[in-house]
């Protein structure tokens, strides 16, 4: 069993920054790809970014490319999402997820473990 817990969300102003963390317990995340997704009320879940276990294969969704950065610290079993230049349209619940296959990317069906989500609200 893998438990994922997101933290770091909150209410910020447009242009501000936040760093989300996803702490894993249970099985090690080594060899797992990790992903970030977000979902706004009434909208479908959107891919934000993913990172493979060595941290050298990273993919971002088009809407966040150039503003968000995903990273991981396997020694701490933690994945991060640094969000800069936040916009009101970034407002959503952000989820982290683990893909045991190691592929990750936007292939949501590959993610077997999910956190509970953390709310990010960006005011204008």
């Amino acid at each position: 069993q893998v438990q994922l817990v997101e933290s770091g969300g909150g209410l910020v102003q447009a242009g501000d920054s936040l760093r989300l963390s996803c702490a894993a317990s249970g099985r090690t995340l080594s060899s797992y790809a990790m992903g970030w997704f977000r979902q706004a009320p009434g909208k479908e879940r959107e891919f934000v970014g993913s990172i493979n276990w060595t941290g050298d294969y990273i993919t971002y969704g088009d809407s966040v490319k150039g503003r968000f950065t995903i990273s991981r610290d396997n020694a701490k079993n933690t994945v991060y999402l640094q969000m800069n230049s936040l916009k009101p349209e970034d407002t959503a619940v952000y989820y982290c997820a683990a893909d045991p296959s190691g592929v990750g990317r936007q292939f949501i069906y590959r993610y077997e473990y999910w956190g509970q989500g953390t709310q990010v609200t960006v005011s204008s």
Side-chain angles (χ1 to χ4, degrees):
Q1 181 67 35
V2 174
Q3 301 287 336
L4 305 175
V5 180
E6 304 95 334
S7 63
L11 175 62
V12 298
Q13 295 181 343
D16 209 343
S17 298
L18 278 176
R19 190 179 77 158
L20 305 183
S21 299
C22 176
S25 61
R27 299 177 63 184
T28 179
L29 294 183
S30 295
S31 81
Y32 285 44
M34 297 296 298
W36 286 95
F37 295 81
R38 66 186 185 184
Q39 188 165 22
K43 298 184 178 180
E44 64 184 17
R45 190 164 38 184
E46 178 186 16
F47 172 73
V48 175
S50 69
I51 184 170
N52 73 326
W53 77 281
T54 55
D56 58 356
Y57 184 47
I58 300 174
T59 303
Y60 297 102
D62 290 339
S63 63
V64 306
K65 193 173 300 181
R67 299 187 297 121
F68 290 10
T69 303
I70 189 171
S71 62
R72 67 190 297 167
D73 186 339
N74 291 337
K76 297 181 179 179
N77 278 334
T78 302
V79 180
Y80 305 97
L81 182 68
Q82 178 66 45
M83 305 184 294
N84 298 328
S85 301
L86 283 163
K87 306 174 181 179
E89 51 263 44
D90 295 318
T91 296
V93 177
Y94 284 71
Y95 300 91
C96 68
D99 167 23
S101 78
V103 175
R105 303 184 69 185
Q106 77 276 25
F107 306 111
I108 192 168
Y109 59 88
R110 293 187 178 272
Y111 296 91
E112 297 185 5
Y113 307 99
W114 294 82
Q116 83 291 340
T118 185
Q119 176 70 47
V120 173
T121 303
V122 184
S123 65
S124 59

